[in-house]
Amino acid sequence: MNTHSRQPRLMQGNEAVAEAAIAAGVKFYAGYPISPSSEIAEICAEKLPLVGGTCVQMEDEISGIAACLGASLTGEKAMTATSGPGFSLMQENIGYGVMAEIPCVVVNVQRGGPSIGLPTSPAQGDVMQARWGTHGDHPVITLCPSSVLEAYSLTIKAVNFSEKYRNPVILLLDEVVGHMREKVELPEEGTLEIVRRKLPECDPEDYQPFKADDDGVPPMAPLGSGYRYHITGLYHDETGFPSSRPQVVEDLIRRLHRKIEDAKQEICLTKEYRTDDCEILVVSYGISNRSAYRAVKDAREQGIKAGLLTLHTLWPFPEEALKEAASHASKVIVAELNLGQMKQEVERILAGQVRVEGLNKVNGEIFTPNEILAGLGGTI
Amino acid sequence: MVLAGLILAEGAVLAGKNVVQTQTYGPEARGGATKAEVIVSEGEIDYPKVSKPDLLLAMSQAAFDKYASLIEPGDNTMVLIDSTIVTDLSKGLGNIIALPMTKIAVDDVGKAVVANMVALGALVTLTKVIPQKCLEEAALARIPKSSKDLNLKALRLGCEVAQKICGECGIAVS
């Protein structure tokens, strides 16, 4: 079956991630298989060699992401996938990727935690870890699909954003989105927008590897192409060599943040459903969004003015979209499979203007639509 | 069980319908309880899990006890059971249809492991959720060539016994 035809087909969420990554030009995968993400590794192992790519099973997740960063430095697009326990192990190197500005996609198919937790059950407990898991005051991009088709389209976006902004991008799925199979009609391959990192246009001897263009992003020369430069996780100047000069340090960390901040309009992806006149706004993401969508539809049928803001981008948080969607609301409900990680963020942004309530489920199961409908004051 | 759900879901795609299939299982590499949920619809499918099943297939006593007991009076759920294995019906409601799937698989096909294909054939015949030819096409695409004949035989036996039952109960079959 041709993956990229418009022919409808049944596809699994994890399969969509692997297929989309390959369609977006990913040529390197290294990782350590873990439920509920293992199908991504399996499919990459099968299909990457067919497109001239490489898939390596590493000894652990630390080396998995390290190998991806190394591969990316040679000019190839790289991805790794894991679940909570492995995501914890990857944190240090995610920070290295941010500091050395190495494009890379890290997929975390969330399961119940902490620790080994619930290996085969969904959760959304890694939202703040995706934001702040690695140390230091760093920027990050995190995307979160709620369907198989979105798993496909947001994986393409994740690869594109990582390349364009030279930053690791985290793709947060959960067990249900990862394992769910749905009928999808994929876009034709030729219609996909595929981004590649900027290459230097100067001669190798003039190359300043960390001198950014106006967009805050420096052109990136592949290792081995004749452009010789130094890469480090230490603070460094435009030559790439370490520096602890206060001005250099401040300029670098501010630039790393600015290149993502300035692109928020492009990066912050949301979807609004009946938010124009909603009095109660539901904010949701990932698998919880599916239950919330049904609940809002049912609430509207009962005459309740409900609306839904779906977050496809979790970080940077889509502040403007939230403010707009909540502009007529007297109450905002944040429905998530954790004890209120995103609710804190919503409260911070709306800063006392609207009452914000959390709807939380943490038993290894997803919300039923009725659980959210009850929160909206609907009749079950 | 997940394979049966997957084949049904792929059959639904071939039949031009929208479909979502999810699964629930434990951390065990082998054994343990497994549940597959399939929603087939002409329209958009929002919530991906089953709220009120039109059909419940129970291939183990534990599955019957757990899920048939959730059926409420007034739900029009058809409960299809493997009567070789599910023998105690005291905990479940619904319209129970008993077929000795494992016995059929062992006696007529020679392998207990194809009981799920007997079940699939029966399920599709009873519900008419997708045409039998879509089911067979989906099954053939998923099953290794070496066991094609066995599986197809099991599938068709399932259709036949279900048809017989329908005749006896007066259920119309297309």
Side-chain angles (χ1 to χ4, degrees):
Chain A
M1 203 180 290
N2 184 354
T3 312
H4 305 297
S5 69
R6 287 182 172 274
Q7 186 85 20
R9 57 169 291 191
L10 193 71
M11 194 175 228
Q12 192 189 45
N14 283 342
E15 185 185 2
V17 170
E19 294 280 1
I22 293 169
V26 166
K27 285 277 163 53
F28 187 86
Y29 180 98
Y32 187 83
I34 178 173
S35 286
S37 75
S38 301
E39 293 84 0
I40 299 173
E42 285 168 18
I43 295 165
C44 285
E46 184 188 339
K47 302 221 162 156
L48 271 176
L50 303 177
V51 295
T54 303
C55 179
V56 191
Q57 177 167 332
M58 303 299 290
E59 67 268 32
D60 60 26
E61 290 86 346
I62 299 173
S63 53
I65 186 170
C68 284
L69 295 176
S72 181
L73 283 169
T74 71
E76 295 296 349
K77 297 180 182 179
M79 180 174 85
T80 186
T82 187
S83 187
F87 192 53
S88 292
L89 291 176
M90 290 182 182
Q91 293 306 323
E92 185 183 5
N93 273 328
I94 290 174
Y96 187 83
V98 172
M99 190 60 140
E101 299 180 74
I102 308 171
C104 167
V105 174
V106 178
V107 185
N108 173 6
V109 186
Q110 295 169 95
R111 64 194 222 180
S115 189
I116 314 295
L118 291 168
T120 59
S121 300
Q124 297 179 310
D126 304 347
V127 170
M128 279 296 165
Q129 189 188 22
R131 179 63 194 89
W132 293 117
T134 197
H135 59 276
D137 195 12
H138 61 281
V140 78
I141 299 172
T142 302
L143 308 180
C144 181
S146 61
S147 70
V148 174
L149 191 59
E150 284 172 11
Y152 190 90
S153 59
L154 291 182
T155 300
I156 304 249
K157 291 269 186 204
V159 176
N160 285 349
F161 289 162
S162 79
E163 289 284 314
K164 186 166 180 183
Y165 300 108
R166 287 190 62 178
N167 208 74
V169 174
I170 294 159
L171 188 66
L172 272 189
L173 278 72
D174 56 75
E175 185 276 331
V176 176
V177 172
H179 280 158
M180 175 165 70
R181 291 184 178 88
E182 291 189 280
K183 185 176 93 169
V184 292
E185 288 170 48
L186 299 178
E188 301 276 0
E189 195 167 14
T191 65
L192 297 171
E193 193 209 346
I194 306 296
V195 177
R196 267 207 95 84
R197 64 192 68 168
K198 281 187 295 192
L199 298 172
E201 286 169 1
C202 63
D203 293 331
E205 55 269 28
D206 299 327
Y207 182 48
Q208 296 275 290
F210 293 94
K211 185 173 167 45
D213 293 339
D214 289 344
D215 61 358
V217 184
M220 185 173 178
L223 289 186
S225 65
Y227 290 77
R228 297 177 63 184
Y229 62 104
H230 190 259
I231 299 154
T232 176
L234 289 164
Y235 272 90
H236 47 273
D237 61 19
E238 293 177 343
T239 66
F241 286 103
S243 169
S244 54
R245 289 211 321 274
Q247 194 61 51
V248 169
V249 170
E250 178 158 356
D251 284 353
L252 176 55
I253 191 64
R254 285 192 182 278
R255 177 175 66 75
L256 293 180
H257 279 267
R258 182 170 57 81
K259 71 178 177 180
I260 307 294
E261 273 299 306
D262 286 356
K264 274 178 80 170
Q265 210 170 351
E266 183 194 2
I267 295 171
C268 289
L269 307 167
T270 58
K271 192 171 169 185
E272 289 78 19
Y273 174 68
R274 304 205 68 171
T275 54
D276 285 354
D277 62 341
C278 74
E279 289 166 5
I280 307 178
L281 175 70
V282 182
V283 177
S284 204
Y285 53 91
I287 191 60
S288 301
N289 177 65
R290 300 287 288 257
S291 317
Y293 175 56
R294 175 58 182 266
V296 167
K297 277 202 291 187
D298 289 349
R300 280 280 176 173
E301 276 185 14
Q302 295 180 16
I304 298 166
K305 282 194 164 181
L308 174 65
L309 175 69
T310 303
L311 307 175
H312 287 154
T313 301
L314 303 186
W315 309 114
F317 190 92
E319 294 190 23
E320 295 310 315
L322 173 65
K323 285 179 188 161
E324 172 74 27
S327 57
H328 307 289
S330 56
K331 185 160 89 171
V332 175
I333 294 174
V334 185
E336 50 189 341
L337 302 180
N338 59 51
L339 290 175
Q341 296 189 15
M342 224 27 143
K343 177 187 166 236
Q344 290 180 28
E345 193 68 7
V346 170
E347 272 177 331
R348 179 185 72 75
I349 290 155
L350 297 176
Q353 292 168 25
V354 190
R355 189 153 56 99
V356 179
E357 291 178 5
L359 206 52
N360 314 98
K361 192 164 181 178
V362 286
N363 66 352
E365 294 181 347
I366 67 172
F367 286 107
T368 65
N370 279 348
E371 286 168 343
I372 297 177
L373 182 59
L376 289 167
T379 313
I380 307 305
Chain B
M1 186 55 94
V2 173
L3 177 65
L6 174 56
I7 290 171
L8 179 61
E10 287 189 328
V13 171
L14 293 172
K17 309 205 185 228
N18 287 324
V19 64
V20 178
Q21 181 260 327
T22 60
Q23 56 221 335
T24 309
Y25 57 90
E28 306 88 351
R30 284 177 188 79
T34 305
K35 176 171 67 161
E37 295 173 63
V38 182
I39 302 172
V40 179
S41 174
E42 301 285 346
E44 175 192 35
I45 301 169
D46 37 48
Y47 178 60
K49 295 267 181 183
V50 173
S51 309
K52 286 208 181 293
D54 295 306
L55 181 129
L56 169 68
L57 167 65
M59 303 283 289
S60 75
Q61 187 68 51
F64 180 84
D65 293 350
K66 187 167 177 187
Y67 299 111
S69 62
L70 299 177
I71 296 169
E72 291 169 13
D75 289 355
N76 206 16
T77 304
M78 188 187 290
V79 183
L80 182 58
I81 60 163
D82 181 348
S83 57
T84 320
I85 294 183
V86 183
T87 50
D88 174 8
L89 305 182
S90 61
K91 289 192 181 142
L93 282 172
N95 314 316
I96 293 172
I97 297 179
L99 291 178
M101 298 159 191
T102 300
K103 187 174 185 306
I104 292 169
V106 172
D107 292 354
D108 301 338
V109 191
K111 265 195 187 320
V113 73
V114 295
N116 62 344
M117 292 297 128
V118 179
L120 253 187
L123 179 159
V124 164
T125 305
L126 290 167
T127 59
K128 289 166 255 165
V129 61
I130 58 170
Q132 190 182 330
K133 70 169 170 50
C134 296
L135 176 67
E136 289 191 6
E137 196 182 330
L140 288 176
R142 274 282 160 191
I143 291 162
K145 267 194 186 129
S146 54
S147 58
K148 223 176 205 175
D149 294 342
L150 285 181
N151 281 284
L152 209 55
K153 188 175 178 191
L155 210 63
R156 287 177 179 165
L157 280 169
C159 296
E160 282 168 28
V161 288
Q163 238 147 7
K164 249 183 242 165
I165 292 238
C166 291
E168 287 161 19
C169 310
I171 303 174
V173 178
S174 55

